[in-house]
Amino acid sequence: MQSIKSLSTTVIVLLCCLTGLLAQPYRPSAAINARVETLLSKMTLEEKIGQLTLYTTDWGSTGPTIREGYKDDIRKGACGNLFNSHSTAFVRELQKVAVEETRLKIPLLFGFDVIHGYKTIFPIPLGEAASWDLEAIEKSARVASTEASAAGLNWTFAPMVDISRDPRWGRVMEGAGEDPYLGSRIAEARVKGIQGKKLGDPDAMLACVKHFAGYGAPMGGRDYNTVDMSEKYFREFYLPPYQAAINAGAATVMTSFNDYDGIPASGSKFLLDQILRKEWGFEGFVVTDYTSINEMVMHGVVANDKEAGELALNAGVDMDMQGGIYQAYLKKSLQEGKVTQAQIDEAVRRVLRLKFELGLFEDPYKFCNAEREKNTLLAPAHRAAAREVARKSIVLLKNDQEVLPLKPSQKIALIGPLADNKTELIGNWNGAGNFNDCVSLKEGLSGANMQYAKGCELDGADRSGFQEALRIAGQSDIIVVAVGEKANISGEATSKTQINLPGVQEELVLELCKTGKPVVVVLMNGRPVVIPGIAEKANAILETWWLGTEAGNAIADVLWGKYNPSGKLPMSFPRSEGQIPVFYNEKSTGRPFDPNSKWTSKYIDESNSPQWPFGYGLSYTSFAYTTPKASVETATTRGIPSGKQVKVWVSVTVSNTGKVAGEEVVQLYIRDLVGSTTRPVKALKGFRKIMLQPGESREVRFDLTADDLSFYRSDNTFGMEPGEFDIMVGGSSNDVKSVRIRVN
Ligand code: BGC
């Protein structure tokens, strides 16, 4: 291949990506406010409370059903919103009740968890985050929204932006991993993709940022468990992605199940009023998570359901998901003076505004066009987009002796419980996806000189398939073995204490390694896994998450080298569960690790470092970085407002030193050497994904903003402090070069 030695155009990296700059927090127009007031003045108290009520319908085995009594509730105006009802026919049937049989003809909102695709399923969100490709992630959300809005829906319970450093928590699969900066940029991209050009377009849905707040930090990694940490820590590491999503225009917010600082999120004035509305200026509506108002009784902060409803409304919850508390008790609470009419009216306004914004009053059936539904779902362009994102989401964790990519002449032994599987590959939270539409790895590799054996099941102790697997391995030049998790063991309510591969899968891989044939492990899972044996013995490892409808094609593209892997881990992979939480941006301790001193921060039976760190991922080519240069040694930042650029930039030249073209994620980290509160040893503040031809070099420039250098200081204010900063650039959080600057 021709080598191009050039120093091409400088790439200017604006640390606020374009998405963030263009988008605005949601603001209702004066015209909409006026329409809301007119409608509000005609509403009875019951009708108002109905707008604050959200119930689920069921998709039973025989099709869509609506629970007993709900249609009557809709008719009376006592239920103004539904979820889990999709497809144009079903939505139309229910919407008809609202707009033809109710007094005020207020249309219903239809919500659904469209988490990584509606019918065309994209990689799970954690997988997509590994692409570090904001355009691709936005496109994925756009396609999901285009399909879902063609199937009757106008509201999705996404994006999930909960930062998590605990892979025991099964819901890490739904988020963007451990880092607030990456998480924030991805949150913006997803909101933009979901809400499209503007609310009111026929293919735009309301986004719902969830779960506000701190849901990703349950103690012990146990789902629904309590959350507690200092406010500074919470604001620095957990809150940024929610705020980024609000700034990108997210119209709605969902509360979380957990408490924070002793108050359940659905009853927290601090979260919903102080932070969300007062500090961030959020003007959309807040919905609870599933029955989380009721659960405040079990949290033990209120004595009964009625008090729970009062706590929620007083805190700033607008809509009650599935709990029926507002419907049952708000009237009485109002009569008793526990809540006010003004509070109820304000919550109703927030809901109605968005119904107007969506254009539902002009055409309540605008999302119910059966023809559009038929032509949109699984459209070839959507599948193509899914394949593209899926390839980008794959992370090459190991590739000794360059056993990958595969060579067409090689005889392949394709082995493993996930090699010929479709059901698990669309992952958890798979919308209206059908696994039959999914391409398995075996199908993706069809045409290859290949034999197949399952080897073992995804769980259980049955080793009877090992023999056949070893037999075909013996006849091959290279072994490709697909192992991982069932889709139902990562996701909600799937916390685990052991995050290794279930059953005898690791044993199967290790047996295959003993054959001496090169072994390529294809991992398919929803969370970081602990696989020390495989990490050591396998020759190559590809982390492919659950990649969705086009999984098999995307993995085959990477295995054959038709696509050069470019993914980087959005979350650290521990060596053992005892290290959890293990993450890259930890704070400085007074006794940092020193291999020569016992009395420093470490384990005596395990290294401090994870198996593979945040930001890590290999390529079929190699990249070289120069030491970064700063535009000035000393930057003046005084008087520069938050969000604005300070007059310093850092540049680095990245070269493709290998034989094939490839993309590299150039990552920028900073460390504030002395702060009035302890600072992280490294914090991501920018990244740029660039494509380089073999021999090509490119200068990448990062402009620093005041926010990048700011933090929550000892007096609880957010801002910069003069002093020295290390600015680090590299291709992984554990592989950087640095330059020191002074800020005064
Ligand atoms: C989950 C939410 C989801 C909701 C509605 C809850 O159990 O925590 O993430 O949006 O159900 O399906």
Side-chain angles (χ1 to χ4, degrees), residues 83-84 113 157 171 174 210-211 215 224 254 257 289-290 321 429 492:
F83 69 116
N84 292 337
D113 291 279
F157 303 136
R171 298 198 82 168
E174 295 172 53
K210 69 187 190 185
H211 307 82
Y215 183 43
Y224 315 127
M254 185 187 294
F257 289 124
D289 202 347
Y290 209 104
M321 182 196 282
W429 288 114
E492 188 173 352

Side-chain angles (χ1 to χ4, degrees), residues 552-590:
N553 285 332
I555 300 169
D557 287 345
V558 167
L559 287 173
W560 290 124
K562 287 187 197 155
Y563 180 79
N564 183 358
S566 62
K568 303 275 187 178
L569 292 180
M571 194 167 180
S572 306
F573 275 46
R575 291 177 195 275
S576 63
E577 287 86 357
Q579 291 184 309
I580 297 170
V582 57
F583 52 94
Y584 87 95
N585 48 355
E586 58 185 12
K587 299 264 202 106
S588 313
T589 106

